[in-house]
Structures are given as C-alpha cells and as structure tokens.
Amino acid sequence: MAAAAARRTDPAPHVPVLLGPLLAAVAPVAGLWVDGTFGAGGYARGLLEAGADRVIGIDRDPSVLRMAEGWAGGYGDRLTLAQGTFSDLERFAGGPVDGVVLDLGVSSMQIDQAERGFSFQKDGPLDMRMGDEGPTAADLVNTGGEAEIADILFHYGEERAARRIARAIVAARPFTRTLQLAAVIERCLPRQKPGQSHPATRSFQAIRIAVNDEFGQLAEGLAAAERALKPGGRLAVVTFHSLEDRIVKRFFQLRSGAEGQGSRHAPERAQVVPAFRMLTRRAVAPDEAEIAANPRARSAKLRVGMRTDAPAGEAPRAALGLPKPAQKDHR
C-alpha cells in the first residue's frame, strides 16, 4: 500500500541501469539493504518493491535527497535517507545488513543540470562536486601545476594528449565556466568524427574523479560493504567505465580467492579465506533493448558477490590497481 502511494505521487519514476538483472542476481530480496548511491532512488524503489523490509539511501548530494521528499514518505519507515558517502555506510546502517548496492560515477540527473558543472555540452559554473563541500573543478584547474593536471588527465581519464591539454589549460587560466574549459580542450585534439565521443569527455571525467576522490571512495566503500554485510548478504556494483570496473573486478577477485597464483616462479601467495562467492561469473552488460531505451547504459557493467561467513579482511589499495594519483594518501 505504501509503495502504491509512493508511485502515485511520482507517476514517472527513474528506472536505473541494469535494475532487472541486478534484482535477479541478488534474489531473494529481504531484510535491510543499503543503496549507497541513492540518486533518483531507482534502485531503492526496486529493492523495496522486490521485498526488502527496509532500505537506507545514502547520497553525497543534498539536492537529490530534497528531490526525493515528494515521494519517499510514501514508503514510511521502510526508507531512510542520509547525506554522506558510501564509504561511511557502516555508520549509517548501524549494524549488519543483508545487501549493498553501489551505482558508481555521476548520475544522469547531475549531468543534465548545467549549474552542477559536470557537462562539457552545457554552460555552467566549473564545479563538478557531487556534494556541497571541498574544492571545485575550477580550483583544481586554476591552481594545480601543469604536471599534476597532466597526471590526473592521464591516469583518471586515460587521455593520451594529457600533457598537451594540461599545458593549454595552464596557459589559458583562470577558468570559471564549463564551456570555456571544454573549448580549450577541443582545440588540443583532432576534430570530432561522427560517432566519436566529444573531445573533452576523458578530461572532464578525469577532473570529476579527482574532485570527488571517486577511486579512493570506491576502495573504502567496498571494504566497508564487506565489513557490514551479514553472511549470505549481497554486494552489487554497477560501473560505467573501465577504470571503475577494473577496481571492482580486482576487489572481488582478491576477496573471493579467485586471484590466480601468477607465474610459477613467483613467491607463493598466502591462501585467502574467501569473503565472497561470486554470483555473476563475469560482468553483466545491458541488453540491446535497454541500450536502445537509454544510450547512457551502453558502457554499464554489473558484478555481484555473496558474503561468506569468513571474517572481514583487507584489499590494499595498491592491490586493487587504483590509478596512480589515487594512491597519494594510501594506507
């Protein structure tokens, strides 16, 4: 009844990427779940309607929690919202949980809001913060050294022209607007051909990741999920680019005992007691129908693991293969 009331107050709810395959992989859904990247609330709704007793929705962005006020009350005390990062999910959960869902990267909703500064196709202030605290993208490009900016573009965006772009950024600053920065990046690269991504795509991705410490947050969030999950609990992670997916894949390999020994000449590795059993043999991708309905889903991948009863362990950042700049403050 509560779910029906929530749907009536919001007749066109957001449908997140890979929701159907995710719910199928984690079934049966029951108990307490954490949606660590609440966004428009699509995964939280899906979990509640699939049988979760309660969902805690966490998001760094206070504006998305305000937007949910119009429909979240329809679920009563089954849905709790909290502002923060998913790396802190243990504190928000307050105890063991039955499942954790993480949908990584920037949301379509944030990209579409020009005033957030994520889009290289819409003019807005050069912000890119997912929350409302800390340095902005403008702070990074206006104060960072040329080598630092080039390093971020190369390691976080896999941009081969990183040095050329960083040199142009330093020469053209200060920057205050997104299109101002996008134009400088465009001039450094060959003209865009039909079907190719915008020339500023990789650079904007890299700057956004650096501003929000996305890879550091991911490493901490995966470890927090392992500690918070009950035996039999599910961890489902949706990624949108190869760097994110590599970290998630590596985490599951390390923590499920699926990591290969490597060369027979290498020193023998300590035996890992698996903390997860994989429920997806390989990454699950959207089908053609979902891509046709939502082209932004094209690069999405889903990985799901089930928590064993082994004690929580560690997956060091270096072993997860975090890109180089993200290891500056590694523990």
Side-chain angles (χ1 to χ4, degrees):
M1 201 66 171
R7 286 196 296 271
R8 283 196 298 272
T9 61
D10 183 21
H14 167 73
V15 179
V17 172
L18 290 168
L19 177 60
L22 185 151
L23 293 175
V26 302
V29 178
L32 174 62
W33 283 70
V34 174
D35 179 354
T37 47
F38 182 75
Y43 291 104
R45 295 181 205 238
L47 291 166
L48 287 165
E49 295 177 13
D53 297 318
R54 183 170 167 240
V55 172
I56 300 170
I58 304 169
D59 206 291
R60 299 170 79 163
D61 186 349
S63 71
V64 306
L65 303 183
R66 289 193 296 269
M67 290 173 62
E69 290 175 357
W71 59 265
Y75 289 100
D77 59 6
R78 295 180 65 209
L79 177 60
T80 302
L81 304 181
Q83 184 186 352
T85 59
F86 57 70
S87 60
D88 203 20
L89 66 87
E90 288 172 283
R91 179 172 66 85
F92 291 117
V97 301
D98 295 277
V100 175
V101 173
L102 303 176
D103 172 22
L104 304 180
V106 65
S107 72
S108 299
M109 184 170 57
Q110 289 170 324
I111 292 173
D112 291 339
Q113 295 170 341
E115 66 273 16
R116 302 303 301 274
F118 290 107
S119 177
F120 42 75
Q121 296 178 314
K122 298 179 181 181
D123 191 41
L126 194 55
D127 193 320
M128 296 197 197
R129 293 174 299 172
M130 291 180 179
D132 55 0
E133 297 179 347
T136 66
D139 294 326
L140 189 156
V141 299
N142 289 330
T143 63
E146 182 179 319
E148 178 190 358
I149 295 171
D151 203 33
I152 286 170
L153 299 183
F154 180 76
H155 288 286
Y156 290 172
E158 300 181 299
E159 175 53 74
R160 288 176 292 181
R163 291 187 183 278
R164 188 187 320 147
I165 294 170
R167 194 177 309 121
I169 286 173
V170 170
R173 63 191 187 189
F175 293 90
T176 60
R177 310 291 294 180
T178 52
L179 293 188
Q180 180 190 7
L181 177 61
V184 169
I185 295 169
E186 266 190 282
R187 290 197 291 269
C188 296
L189 297 170
R191 187 185 297 274
Q192 179 184 3
K193 296 178 181 178
Q196 288 185 332
S197 59
H198 189 283
T201 300
R202 291 184 294 274
S203 294
F204 268 59
Q205 170 189 298
I207 293 168
R208 186 203 82 219
I209 288 170
V211 165
N212 295 287
D213 185 28
E214 291 180 37
F215 294 145
Q217 285 290 319
L218 176 55
E220 293 180 16
L222 292 170
E226 179 176 333
R227 293 190 298 268
L229 283 164
K230 299 175 182 177
R234 270 69 162 166
L235 171 59
V237 188
V238 177
T239 64
F240 285 87
H241 59 75
S242 60
L243 296 174
E244 290 174 340
D245 186 59
R246 184 178 70 191
I247 294 168
V248 175
K249 179 181 179 180
R250 186 73 174 143
F251 172 82
F252 275 131
Q253 286 177 332
L254 289 166
R255 302 306 301 139
S256 67
E259 182 188 28
Q261 176 61 38
S263 169
R264 61 189 176 90
H265 302 294
E268 189 170 347
R269 297 189 180 113
Q271 199 70 20
V272 174
V273 179
F276 285 92
R277 179 171 69 81
M278 296 310 298
L279 299 180
T280 51
R281 289 185 58 193
R282 56 177 60 87
V284 176
D287 59 22
E288 292 182 5
E290 182 167 3
I291 293 171
N294 179 12
R296 287 175 175 171
R298 184 176 302 278
S299 61
K301 291 182 179 179
L302 166 69
R303 297 183 188 272
V304 183
M306 183 174 72
R307 190 72 170 85
T308 70
D309 59 3
E314 291 186 6
R317 288 189 177 197
L320 291 177
L322 269 66
K324 185 179 176 183
Q327 297 188 48
K328 288 181 179 178
D329 64 341
H330 68 84
R331 293 174 296 203

